[in-house]
Amino acid sequence: YWGGSTGVTTFVNNTFADNDAAEGSAIDVSGVDDRHVIANNVIIGKAGKTAFSCGNSSSTPSPVVSTSDVWTPQGFAFGGTCLDQNGLRGNVSADPLFVRNAFADVPGDHHLQMRSPAIDAGDNTAPQMTAADLDGNARSADGNGDGAARVDMGAYEYTNQPPVANAGGDQTVTADGSCSA
């Protein structure tokens, strides 16, 4: 739960997952408005529950979420008085494809798999973005191999690239009459 404050709070490049609450199983806010910066985050709710919920009064505008993945399986991304912001300002609502989801008493591994929609999907100009991810890897790496470095959504920058095979230059082998070389 995140309550309102008189100052401006910034949440940039975080992963909110494996949390549980009656309202907003990933994030539940109240009194948080459009002055607060919420960018480049992965916000994942529990199955069947709302991921991001606002308990604002009707006179308090919803917080502005940008370039974030807000998703929950079989539930709603946004709830309460929060406006649904998927499809706006670079937001998506898709399974982030974590390396391993949490189960039973085993914690999840929230690094991203190679096909994650959160790779190279953040905003490089987000305020107060750190130079390194939670593992100490540089932010704004070219995670999808398109030649452009762009920050990922979430706490971890995707760094694993598929291997590239190089068998060397072409070679010519002459075979004899019995096809032996």
Short mmCIF file of all heavy atoms in Angstrom, two decimals, residues 69-145:
data_model
loop_
_atom_site.label_atom_id
_atom_site.label_comp_id
_atom_site.label_asym_id
_atom_site.label_seq_id
_atom_site.Cartn_x
_atom_site.Cartn_y
_atom_site.Cartn_z
N ASP A 69 4.42 -2.28 -17.71
CA ASP A 69 3.63 -3.47 -17.97
C ASP A 69 2.79 -3.73 -16.73
O ASP A 69 3.33 -4.10 -15.68
CB ASP A 69 4.54 -4.66 -18.28
CG ASP A 69 3.77 -5.94 -18.65
OD1 ASP A 69 2.52 -5.92 -18.67
OD2 ASP A 69 4.44 -6.96 -18.91
N VAL A 70 1.49 -3.48 -16.82
CA VAL A 70 0.56 -3.69 -15.71
C VAL A 70 -0.37 -4.83 -16.14
O VAL A 70 -1.18 -4.68 -17.05
CB VAL A 70 -0.25 -2.41 -15.40
CG1 VAL A 70 -1.16 -2.64 -14.19
CG2 VAL A 70 0.68 -1.23 -15.16
N TRP A 71 -0.24 -5.99 -15.48
CA TRP A 71 -0.94 -7.19 -15.94
C TRP A 71 -1.25 -8.11 -14.77
O TRP A 71 -0.53 -8.15 -13.79
CB TRP A 71 -0.05 -7.92 -16.94
CG TRP A 71 -0.63 -9.17 -17.51
CD1 TRP A 71 -1.61 -9.26 -18.46
CD2 TRP A 71 -0.27 -10.52 -17.19
NE1 TRP A 71 -1.86 -10.58 -18.73
CE2 TRP A 71 -1.06 -11.37 -17.98
CE3 TRP A 71 0.66 -11.08 -16.30
CZ2 TRP A 71 -0.96 -12.76 -17.91
CZ3 TRP A 71 0.76 -12.45 -16.23
CH2 TRP A 71 -0.05 -13.28 -17.03
N THR A 72 -2.31 -8.84 -14.92
CA THR A 72 -2.64 -9.92 -14.00
C THR A 72 -3.38 -11.00 -14.78
O THR A 72 -4.21 -10.67 -15.63
CB THR A 72 -3.48 -9.42 -12.80
OG1 THR A 72 -3.62 -10.45 -11.84
CG2 THR A 72 -4.83 -8.93 -13.21
N PRO A 73 -3.08 -12.26 -14.56
CA PRO A 73 -3.83 -13.31 -15.26
C PRO A 73 -5.25 -13.41 -14.72
O PRO A 73 -5.45 -13.37 -13.51
CB PRO A 73 -3.02 -14.58 -14.99
CG PRO A 73 -2.14 -14.28 -13.83
CD PRO A 73 -1.99 -12.79 -13.75
N GLN A 74 -6.21 -13.49 -15.60
CA GLN A 74 -7.64 -13.61 -15.25
C GLN A 74 -8.12 -12.51 -14.32
O GLN A 74 -8.96 -12.73 -13.46
CB GLN A 74 -7.96 -14.97 -14.62
CG GLN A 74 -7.68 -16.16 -15.48
CD GLN A 74 -6.34 -16.79 -15.15
OE1 GLN A 74 -5.92 -16.82 -14.00
NE2 GLN A 74 -5.65 -17.29 -16.15
N GLY A 75 -7.59 -11.30 -14.47
CA GLY A 75 -8.03 -10.18 -13.64
C GLY A 75 -7.87 -8.88 -14.39
O GLY A 75 -7.59 -8.86 -15.59
N PHE A 76 -8.05 -7.78 -13.68
CA PHE A 76 -7.96 -6.46 -14.29
C PHE A 76 -6.61 -5.83 -13.98
O PHE A 76 -6.09 -5.96 -12.88
CB PHE A 76 -9.07 -5.55 -13.77
CG PHE A 76 -10.44 -6.01 -14.17
CD1 PHE A 76 -11.27 -6.63 -13.25
CD2 PHE A 76 -10.89 -5.85 -15.47
CE1 PHE A 76 -12.53 -7.08 -13.61
CE2 PHE A 76 -12.15 -6.29 -15.84
CZ PHE A 76 -12.97 -6.91 -14.91
N ALA A 77 -6.06 -5.13 -14.94
CA ALA A 77 -4.80 -4.42 -14.74
C ALA A 77 -5.00 -3.28 -13.75
O ALA A 77 -4.24 -3.13 -12.79
CB ALA A 77 -4.25 -3.91 -16.06
N PHE A 78 -6.00 -2.44 -13.97
CA PHE A 78 -6.26 -1.28 -13.12
C PHE A 78 -7.64 -1.41 -12.50
O PHE A 78 -8.57 -1.94 -13.12
CB PHE A 78 -6.22 0.02 -13.94
CG PHE A 78 -4.84 0.38 -14.43
CD1 PHE A 78 -4.39 -0.06 -15.66
CD2 PHE A 78 -4.01 1.17 -13.65
CE1 PHE A 78 -3.12 0.28 -16.12
CE2 PHE A 78 -2.74 1.51 -14.10
CZ PHE A 78 -2.29 1.05 -15.34
N GLY A 79 -7.79 -0.93 -11.25
CA GLY A 79 -9.08 -1.01 -10.58
C GLY A 79 -9.26 0.12 -9.59
O GLY A 79 -8.41 1.01 -9.45
N GLY A 80 -10.35 0.06 -8.86
CA GLY A 80 -10.70 1.14 -7.94
C GLY A 80 -11.00 2.40 -8.74
O GLY A 80 -11.66 2.34 -9.77
N THR A 81 -10.46 3.53 -8.31
CA THR A 81 -10.68 4.78 -9.04
C THR A 81 -9.58 5.05 -10.07
O THR A 81 -9.58 6.10 -10.71
CB THR A 81 -10.77 5.98 -8.07
OG1 THR A 81 -9.54 6.06 -7.33
CG2 THR A 81 -11.94 5.83 -7.12
N CYS A 82 -8.64 4.11 -10.25
CA CYS A 82 -7.58 4.27 -11.27
C CYS A 82 -8.17 4.16 -12.66
O CYS A 82 -8.96 3.26 -12.93
CB CYS A 82 -6.52 3.17 -11.13
SG CYS A 82 -5.29 3.45 -9.88
N LEU A 83 -7.76 5.05 -13.52
CA LEU A 83 -8.13 4.93 -14.92
C LEU A 83 -7.30 3.82 -15.56
O LEU A 83 -6.12 3.67 -15.26
CB LEU A 83 -7.85 6.25 -15.65
CG LEU A 83 -8.62 7.47 -15.15
CD1 LEU A 83 -8.14 8.72 -15.89
CD2 LEU A 83 -10.11 7.28 -15.34
N ASP A 84 -7.93 3.05 -16.45
CA ASP A 84 -7.20 2.03 -17.19
C ASP A 84 -6.27 2.75 -18.15
O ASP A 84 -6.71 3.47 -19.04
CB ASP A 84 -8.16 1.12 -17.94
CG ASP A 84 -7.46 -0.04 -18.62
OD1 ASP A 84 -6.22 0.00 -18.80
OD2 ASP A 84 -8.16 -1.00 -18.99
N GLN A 85 -4.97 2.57 -17.99
CA GLN A 85 -3.99 3.31 -18.78
C GLN A 85 -3.24 2.42 -19.78
O GLN A 85 -2.26 2.85 -20.38
CB GLN A 85 -3.01 4.02 -17.84
CG GLN A 85 -3.72 5.01 -16.93
CD GLN A 85 -2.81 5.71 -15.98
OE1 GLN A 85 -1.76 6.21 -16.35
NE2 GLN A 85 -3.21 5.74 -14.72
N ASN A 86 -3.71 1.20 -19.97
CA ASN A 86 -3.07 0.33 -20.95
C ASN A 86 -3.29 0.87 -22.35
O ASN A 86 -4.36 1.33 -22.70
CB ASN A 86 -3.57 -1.10 -20.82
CG ASN A 86 -2.95 -1.77 -19.62
OD1 ASN A 86 -1.75 -1.69 -19.42
ND2 ASN A 86 -3.76 -2.42 -18.81
N GLY A 87 -2.23 0.84 -23.14
CA GLY A 87 -2.28 1.38 -24.49
C GLY A 87 -1.96 2.87 -24.55
O GLY A 87 -1.85 3.43 -25.63
N LEU A 88 -1.80 3.49 -23.40
CA LEU A 88 -1.46 4.92 -23.34
C LEU A 88 -0.02 5.08 -22.87
O LEU A 88 0.45 4.31 -22.04
CB LEU A 88 -2.38 5.66 -22.36
CG LEU A 88 -3.88 5.55 -22.61
CD1 LEU A 88 -4.65 6.20 -21.46
CD2 LEU A 88 -4.24 6.22 -23.93
N ARG A 89 0.70 6.07 -23.38
CA ARG A 89 2.06 6.42 -22.93
C ARG A 89 3.01 5.21 -22.86
O ARG A 89 3.83 5.12 -21.96
CB ARG A 89 2.02 7.14 -21.58
CG ARG A 89 1.34 8.51 -21.62
CD ARG A 89 1.20 9.13 -20.25
NE ARG A 89 0.46 8.31 -19.30
CZ ARG A 89 -0.87 8.15 -19.29
NH1 ARG A 89 -1.61 8.77 -20.17
NH2 ARG A 89 -1.44 7.40 -18.38
N GLY A 90 2.87 4.29 -23.78
CA GLY A 90 3.78 3.14 -23.83
C GLY A 90 3.45 2.01 -22.88
O GLY A 90 4.23 1.06 -22.74
N ASN A 91 2.31 2.06 -22.21
CA ASN A 91 1.92 1.00 -21.29
C ASN A 91 1.41 -0.22 -22.05
O ASN A 91 0.78 -0.09 -23.10
CB ASN A 91 0.82 1.48 -20.34
CG ASN A 91 1.30 2.53 -19.39
OD1 ASN A 91 2.42 2.47 -18.90
ND2 ASN A 91 0.47 3.53 -19.12
N VAL A 92 1.71 -1.39 -21.51
CA VAL A 92 1.20 -2.65 -22.05
C VAL A 92 0.58 -3.45 -20.91
O VAL A 92 0.81 -3.17 -19.74
CB VAL A 92 2.31 -3.48 -22.74
CG1 VAL A 92 2.90 -2.73 -23.93
CG2 VAL A 92 3.39 -3.88 -21.76
N SER A 93 -0.19 -4.44 -21.28
CA SER A 93 -0.74 -5.38 -20.31
C SER A 93 -0.52 -6.77 -20.88
O SER A 93 -1.31 -7.28 -21.66
CB SER A 93 -2.23 -5.12 -20.07
OG SER A 93 -2.71 -5.99 -19.06
N ALA A 94 0.62 -7.37 -20.51
CA ALA A 94 1.01 -8.67 -21.06
C ALA A 94 1.86 -9.42 -20.04
O ALA A 94 2.54 -8.81 -19.22
CB ALA A 94 1.79 -8.48 -22.35
N ASP A 95 1.83 -10.73 -20.13
CA ASP A 95 2.70 -11.55 -19.30
C ASP A 95 4.14 -11.12 -19.56
O ASP A 95 4.60 -11.16 -20.70
CB ASP A 95 2.50 -13.02 -19.67
CG ASP A 95 3.29 -13.99 -18.81
OD1 ASP A 95 4.24 -13.56 -18.11
OD2 ASP A 95 2.96 -15.19 -18.85
N PRO A 96 4.89 -10.70 -18.52
CA PRO A 96 6.25 -10.23 -18.74
C PRO A 96 7.25 -11.34 -19.04
O PRO A 96 8.40 -11.05 -19.39
CB PRO A 96 6.60 -9.54 -17.43
CG PRO A 96 5.77 -10.27 -16.42
CD PRO A 96 4.49 -10.61 -17.12
N LEU A 97 6.82 -12.58 -18.94
CA LEU A 97 7.68 -13.74 -19.19
C LEU A 97 8.92 -13.73 -18.29
O LEU A 97 10.05 -13.66 -18.74
CB LEU A 97 8.09 -13.82 -20.67
CG LEU A 97 6.94 -13.94 -21.66
CD1 LEU A 97 7.46 -13.91 -23.08
CD2 LEU A 97 6.13 -15.20 -21.40
N PHE A 98 8.66 -13.81 -16.99
CA PHE A 98 9.75 -13.93 -16.02
C PHE A 98 10.46 -15.27 -16.23
O PHE A 98 9.87 -16.24 -16.69
CB PHE A 98 9.22 -13.89 -14.59
CG PHE A 98 8.68 -12.57 -14.15
CD1 PHE A 98 7.53 -12.50 -13.39
CD2 PHE A 98 9.32 -11.38 -14.46
CE1 PHE A 98 7.02 -11.28 -12.96
CE2 PHE A 98 8.84 -10.16 -14.04
CZ PHE A 98 7.68 -10.11 -13.29
N VAL A 99 11.72 -15.33 -15.83
CA VAL A 99 12.48 -16.57 -15.91
C VAL A 99 11.76 -17.66 -15.12
O VAL A 99 11.60 -18.77 -15.58
CB VAL A 99 13.93 -16.37 -15.42
CG1 VAL A 99 14.64 -17.69 -15.19
CG2 VAL A 99 14.71 -15.51 -16.41
N ARG A 100 11.26 -17.33 -13.92
CA ARG A 100 10.48 -18.29 -13.13
C ARG A 100 9.50 -17.53 -12.26
O ARG A 100 9.88 -16.65 -11.49
CB ARG A 100 11.40 -19.15 -12.25
CG ARG A 100 10.63 -20.24 -11.50
CD ARG A 100 11.49 -21.04 -10.52
NE ARG A 100 11.87 -20.21 -9.39
CZ ARG A 100 13.13 -19.91 -9.06
NH1 ARG A 100 14.13 -20.37 -9.75
NH2 ARG A 100 13.38 -19.15 -8.02
N ASN A 101 8.23 -17.88 -12.37
CA ASN A 101 7.23 -17.32 -11.47
C ASN A 101 7.36 -17.98 -10.10
O ASN A 101 7.82 -19.12 -10.00
CB ASN A 101 5.82 -17.54 -12.02
CG ASN A 101 5.56 -16.70 -13.26
OD1 ASN A 101 5.91 -15.52 -13.29
ND2 ASN A 101 4.96 -17.29 -14.27
N ALA A 102 6.92 -17.28 -9.09
CA ALA A 102 6.95 -17.84 -7.74
C ALA A 102 5.89 -18.94 -7.62
O ALA A 102 4.86 -18.90 -8.27
CB ALA A 102 6.67 -16.74 -6.72
N PHE A 103 6.18 -19.94 -6.82
CA PHE A 103 5.20 -20.97 -6.52
C PHE A 103 5.49 -21.53 -5.14
O PHE A 103 6.63 -21.57 -4.70
CB PHE A 103 5.18 -22.08 -7.58
CG PHE A 103 6.50 -22.78 -7.76
CD1 PHE A 103 6.80 -23.93 -7.06
CD2 PHE A 103 7.45 -22.26 -8.64
CE1 PHE A 103 8.02 -24.56 -7.23
CE2 PHE A 103 8.68 -22.90 -8.81
CZ PHE A 103 8.96 -24.04 -8.10
N ALA A 104 4.41 -21.92 -4.45
CA ALA A 104 4.50 -22.43 -3.08
C ALA A 104 5.41 -21.53 -2.25
O ALA A 104 5.17 -20.35 -2.15
CB ALA A 104 4.95 -23.88 -3.09
N ASP A 105 6.47 -22.09 -1.69
CA ASP A 105 7.38 -21.28 -0.88
C ASP A 105 8.67 -20.96 -1.63
O ASP A 105 9.67 -20.58 -1.03
CB ASP A 105 7.68 -21.97 0.45
CG ASP A 105 8.32 -23.35 0.26
OD1 ASP A 105 8.33 -23.84 -0.88
OD2 ASP A 105 8.78 -23.91 1.25
N VAL A 106 8.65 -21.09 -2.97
CA VAL A 106 9.82 -20.82 -3.79
C VAL A 106 9.67 -19.43 -4.41
O VAL A 106 8.71 -19.17 -5.13
CB VAL A 106 9.98 -21.88 -4.91
CG1 VAL A 106 11.18 -21.55 -5.78
CG2 VAL A 106 10.10 -23.26 -4.29
N PRO A 107 10.59 -18.52 -4.12
CA PRO A 107 10.47 -17.18 -4.69
C PRO A 107 10.69 -17.19 -6.20
O PRO A 107 11.33 -18.09 -6.74
CB PRO A 107 11.57 -16.38 -3.99
CG PRO A 107 12.52 -17.40 -3.46
CD PRO A 107 11.76 -18.67 -3.26
N GLY A 108 10.14 -16.18 -6.87
CA GLY A 108 10.28 -16.09 -8.32
C GLY A 108 11.62 -15.48 -8.73
O GLY A 108 12.30 -14.84 -7.94
N ASP A 109 11.98 -15.73 -9.96
CA ASP A 109 13.14 -15.09 -10.58
C ASP A 109 12.57 -14.11 -11.59
O ASP A 109 12.03 -14.50 -12.63
CB ASP A 109 14.03 -16.13 -11.26
CG ASP A 109 15.27 -15.52 -11.91
OD1 ASP A 109 15.31 -14.28 -12.10
OD2 ASP A 109 16.19 -16.27 -12.24
N HIS A 110 12.65 -12.83 -11.29
CA HIS A 110 11.98 -11.80 -12.08
C HIS A 110 12.84 -11.22 -13.20
O HIS A 110 12.53 -10.16 -13.73
CB HIS A 110 11.43 -10.71 -11.16
CG HIS A 110 10.45 -11.26 -10.17
ND1 HIS A 110 10.64 -11.19 -8.82
CD2 HIS A 110 9.30 -11.94 -10.36
CE1 HIS A 110 9.64 -11.78 -8.21
NE2 HIS A 110 8.81 -12.24 -9.11
N HIS A 111 13.91 -11.92 -13.56
CA HIS A 111 14.64 -11.56 -14.77
C HIS A 111 13.73 -11.89 -15.96
O HIS A 111 12.85 -12.74 -15.86
CB HIS A 111 15.95 -12.36 -14.87
CG HIS A 111 16.96 -11.93 -13.86
ND1 HIS A 111 17.00 -12.45 -12.58
CD2 HIS A 111 17.98 -11.04 -13.95
CE1 HIS A 111 18.01 -11.89 -11.92
NE2 HIS A 111 18.61 -11.03 -12.73
N LEU A 112 13.95 -11.23 -17.08
CA LEU A 112 13.09 -11.39 -18.24
C LEU A 112 13.63 -12.44 -19.20
O LEU A 112 14.84 -12.54 -19.41
CB LEU A 112 12.96 -10.05 -18.97
CG LEU A 112 12.45 -8.88 -18.13
CD1 LEU A 112 12.54 -7.58 -18.92
CD2 LEU A 112 11.04 -9.13 -17.64
N GLN A 113 12.71 -13.22 -19.79
CA GLN A 113 13.08 -14.15 -20.84
C GLN A 113 13.25 -13.38 -22.16
O GLN A 113 12.76 -12.27 -22.32
CB GLN A 113 12.00 -15.20 -21.03
CG GLN A 113 11.84 -16.16 -19.88
CD GLN A 113 10.79 -17.21 -20.19
OE1 GLN A 113 10.71 -17.73 -21.30
NE2 GLN A 113 9.96 -17.50 -19.20
N MET A 114 13.89 -14.01 -23.10
CA MET A 114 14.25 -13.37 -24.37
C MET A 114 13.06 -12.77 -25.12
O MET A 114 13.20 -11.75 -25.78
CB MET A 114 14.95 -14.38 -25.29
CG MET A 114 15.45 -13.78 -26.56
SD MET A 114 16.27 -14.90 -27.73
CE MET A 114 16.59 -16.38 -26.86
N ARG A 115 11.87 -13.32 -25.03
CA ARG A 115 10.71 -12.83 -25.78
C ARG A 115 9.80 -11.92 -24.95
O ARG A 115 8.67 -11.65 -25.35
CB ARG A 115 9.92 -14.00 -26.34
CG ARG A 115 10.68 -14.77 -27.41
CD ARG A 115 9.90 -15.93 -28.00
NE ARG A 115 9.17 -16.75 -27.04
CZ ARG A 115 9.68 -17.74 -26.32
NH1 ARG A 115 10.93 -18.05 -26.41
NH2 ARG A 115 8.92 -18.44 -25.49
N SER A 116 10.26 -11.43 -23.83
CA SER A 116 9.44 -10.60 -22.95
C SER A 116 9.05 -9.29 -23.64
O SER A 116 9.88 -8.63 -24.27
CB SER A 116 10.21 -10.26 -21.67
OG SER A 116 9.48 -9.32 -20.92
N PRO A 117 7.78 -8.88 -23.49
CA PRO A 117 7.35 -7.59 -24.05
C PRO A 117 7.94 -6.39 -23.29
O PRO A 117 7.82 -5.26 -23.74
CB PRO A 117 5.83 -7.63 -23.92
CG PRO A 117 5.58 -8.55 -22.76
CD PRO A 117 6.68 -9.59 -22.84
N ALA A 118 8.59 -6.64 -22.16
CA ALA A 118 9.18 -5.56 -21.36
C ALA A 118 10.60 -5.19 -21.82
O ALA A 118 11.14 -4.17 -21.39
CB ALA A 118 9.20 -5.96 -19.89
N ILE A 119 11.19 -6.00 -22.70
CA ILE A 119 12.55 -5.73 -23.18
C ILE A 119 12.53 -4.57 -24.17
O ILE A 119 11.73 -4.55 -25.11
CB ILE A 119 13.17 -6.99 -23.81
CG1 ILE A 119 13.35 -8.07 -22.74
CG2 ILE A 119 14.50 -6.67 -24.49
CD1 ILE A 119 13.78 -9.41 -23.29
N ASP A 120 13.42 -3.62 -23.96
CA ASP A 120 13.55 -2.43 -24.81
C ASP A 120 12.22 -1.69 -24.98
O ASP A 120 11.93 -1.15 -26.04
CB ASP A 120 14.12 -2.80 -26.19
CG ASP A 120 15.62 -3.07 -26.14
OD1 ASP A 120 16.20 -3.05 -25.05
OD2 ASP A 120 16.20 -3.31 -27.21
N ALA A 121 11.41 -1.66 -23.93
CA ALA A 121 10.09 -1.05 -24.01
C ALA A 121 9.92 0.13 -23.05
O ALA A 121 8.85 0.72 -22.98
CB ALA A 121 9.01 -2.09 -23.74
N GLY A 122 10.97 0.47 -22.29
CA GLY A 122 10.89 1.58 -21.35
C GLY A 122 11.22 2.92 -21.99
O GLY A 122 11.41 3.02 -23.20
N ASP A 123 11.30 3.93 -21.16
CA ASP A 123 11.58 5.30 -21.60
C ASP A 123 12.96 5.69 -21.09
O ASP A 123 13.17 5.82 -19.88
CB ASP A 123 10.52 6.24 -21.04
CG ASP A 123 10.74 7.70 -21.37
OD1 ASP A 123 11.71 8.02 -22.11
OD2 ASP A 123 9.94 8.53 -20.90
N ASN A 124 13.91 5.91 -22.00
CA ASN A 124 15.28 6.29 -21.62
C ASN A 124 15.35 7.64 -20.93
O ASN A 124 16.37 7.95 -20.30
CB ASN A 124 16.18 6.32 -22.86
CG ASN A 124 16.51 4.94 -23.38
OD1 ASN A 124 16.26 3.93 -22.74
ND2 ASN A 124 17.06 4.90 -24.58
N THR A 125 14.31 8.46 -21.03
CA THR A 125 14.34 9.79 -20.42
C THR A 125 13.55 9.87 -19.11
O THR A 125 13.34 10.96 -18.60
CB THR A 125 13.79 10.85 -21.41
OG1 THR A 125 12.40 10.58 -21.66
CG2 THR A 125 14.57 10.84 -22.71
N ALA A 126 13.14 8.72 -18.57
CA ALA A 126 12.40 8.72 -17.30
C ALA A 126 13.23 9.40 -16.22
O ALA A 126 14.44 9.16 -16.12
CB ALA A 126 12.04 7.30 -16.88
N PRO A 127 12.62 10.25 -15.40
CA PRO A 127 13.38 10.96 -14.37
C PRO A 127 13.91 10.02 -13.29
O PRO A 127 13.28 9.01 -12.98
CB PRO A 127 12.35 11.93 -13.77
CG PRO A 127 11.03 11.33 -14.07
CD PRO A 127 11.19 10.57 -15.36
N GLN A 128 15.06 10.33 -12.78
CA GLN A 128 15.71 9.60 -11.70
C GLN A 128 15.97 8.14 -12.03
O GLN A 128 16.04 7.29 -11.14
CB GLN A 128 14.89 9.73 -10.40
CG GLN A 128 14.75 11.16 -9.93
CD GLN A 128 13.97 11.28 -8.65
OE1 GLN A 128 13.83 10.34 -7.90
NE2 GLN A 128 13.46 12.47 -8.39
N MET A 129 16.14 7.82 -13.32
CA MET A 129 16.49 6.46 -13.71
C MET A 129 17.94 6.22 -13.33
O MET A 129 18.80 7.07 -13.57
CB MET A 129 16.29 6.28 -15.21
CG MET A 129 16.45 4.85 -15.66
SD MET A 129 16.00 4.61 -17.39
CE MET A 129 17.35 5.44 -18.21
N THR A 130 18.21 5.10 -12.72
CA THR A 130 19.57 4.79 -12.31
C THR A 130 20.40 4.31 -13.50
O THR A 130 19.85 3.88 -14.52
CB THR A 130 19.57 3.69 -11.22
OG1 THR A 130 18.98 2.51 -11.77
CG2 THR A 130 18.82 4.15 -9.99
N ALA A 131 21.70 4.38 -13.37
CA ALA A 131 22.61 3.96 -14.45
C ALA A 131 22.74 2.45 -14.53
O ALA A 131 23.18 1.92 -15.55
CB ALA A 131 23.99 4.59 -14.25
N ALA A 132 22.34 1.74 -13.47
CA ALA A 132 22.49 0.28 -13.44
C ALA A 132 21.20 -0.36 -12.93
O ALA A 132 20.43 0.26 -12.19
CB ALA A 132 23.65 -0.11 -12.54
N ASP A 133 20.98 -1.61 -13.32
CA ASP A 133 19.83 -2.34 -12.83
C ASP A 133 20.14 -2.98 -11.48
O ASP A 133 21.21 -2.74 -10.90
CB ASP A 133 19.37 -3.37 -13.86
CG ASP A 133 20.29 -4.57 -14.01
OD1 ASP A 133 21.34 -4.64 -13.32
OD2 ASP A 133 19.96 -5.46 -14.81
N LEU A 134 19.25 -3.80 -10.98
CA LEU A 134 19.41 -4.40 -9.66
C LEU A 134 20.62 -5.33 -9.58
O LEU A 134 21.19 -5.52 -8.52
CB LEU A 134 18.13 -5.16 -9.29
CG LEU A 134 17.91 -5.52 -7.84
CD1 LEU A 134 17.94 -4.28 -6.95
CD2 LEU A 134 16.58 -6.22 -7.66
N ASP A 135 21.04 -5.89 -10.71
CA ASP A 135 22.23 -6.74 -10.77
C ASP A 135 23.51 -5.96 -11.01
O ASP A 135 24.60 -6.54 -11.04
CB ASP A 135 22.10 -7.78 -11.90
CG ASP A 135 21.13 -8.90 -11.56
OD1 ASP A 135 20.90 -9.16 -10.36
OD2 ASP A 135 20.61 -9.52 -12.51
N GLY A 136 23.41 -4.65 -11.24
CA GLY A 136 24.59 -3.84 -11.54
C GLY A 136 24.88 -3.73 -13.03
O GLY A 136 25.88 -3.12 -13.42
N ASN A 137 24.02 -4.30 -13.88
CA ASN A 137 24.19 -4.18 -15.32
C ASN A 137 23.77 -2.80 -15.79
O ASN A 137 22.84 -2.20 -15.24
CB ASN A 137 23.35 -5.23 -16.06
CG ASN A 137 23.78 -6.64 -15.74
OD1 ASN A 137 24.96 -6.94 -15.71
ND2 ASN A 137 22.82 -7.51 -15.47
N ALA A 138 24.42 -2.30 -16.84
CA ALA A 138 24.09 -0.99 -17.38
C ALA A 138 22.65 -0.96 -17.89
O ALA A 138 22.17 -1.92 -18.48
CB ALA A 138 25.04 -0.63 -18.53
N ARG A 139 21.99 0.15 -17.63
CA ARG A 139 20.66 0.37 -18.18
C ARG A 139 20.80 0.77 -19.64
O ARG A 139 21.87 1.14 -20.11
CB ARG A 139 19.94 1.50 -17.42
CG ARG A 139 19.36 1.05 -16.11
CD ARG A 139 18.14 0.19 -16.35
NE ARG A 139 17.54 -0.25 -15.11
CZ ARG A 139 16.61 -1.17 -15.07
NH1 ARG A 139 16.19 -1.75 -16.16
NH2 ARG A 139 16.11 -1.53 -13.93
N SER A 140 19.71 0.72 -20.36
CA SER A 140 19.65 1.11 -21.77
C SER A 140 20.55 0.24 -22.64
O SER A 140 21.25 0.72 -23.51
CB SER A 140 19.99 2.59 -21.94
OG SER A 140 19.10 3.38 -21.22
N ALA A 141 20.52 -1.05 -22.41
CA ALA A 141 21.24 -1.99 -23.28
C ALA A 141 20.35 -2.35 -24.47
O ALA A 141 19.13 -2.17 -24.41
CB ALA A 141 21.60 -3.25 -22.49
N ASP A 142 20.94 -2.83 -25.53
CA ASP A 142 20.18 -3.28 -26.69
C ASP A 142 19.77 -4.72 -26.45
O ASP A 142 20.42 -5.66 -26.90
CB ASP A 142 21.03 -3.16 -27.96
CG ASP A 142 20.27 -3.61 -29.20
OD1 ASP A 142 19.04 -3.77 -29.13
OD2 ASP A 142 20.92 -3.82 -30.24
N GLY A 143 18.66 -4.91 -25.77
CA GLY A 143 18.22 -6.25 -25.39
C GLY A 143 17.59 -7.04 -26.51
O GLY A 143 17.61 -8.26 -26.49
N ASN A 144 17.01 -6.37 -27.52
CA ASN A 144 16.36 -7.12 -28.59
C ASN A 144 17.20 -7.21 -29.85
O ASN A 144 16.75 -7.73 -30.87
CB ASN A 144 14.97 -6.53 -28.90
CG ASN A 144 15.03 -5.11 -29.43
OD1 ASN A 144 16.10 -4.56 -29.68
ND2 ASN A 144 13.86 -4.51 -29.60
N GLY A 145 18.41 -6.69 -29.81
CA GLY A 145 19.34 -6.84 -30.93
C GLY A 145 19.00 -6.02 -32.16
O GLY A 145 19.46 -6.35 -33.25
#
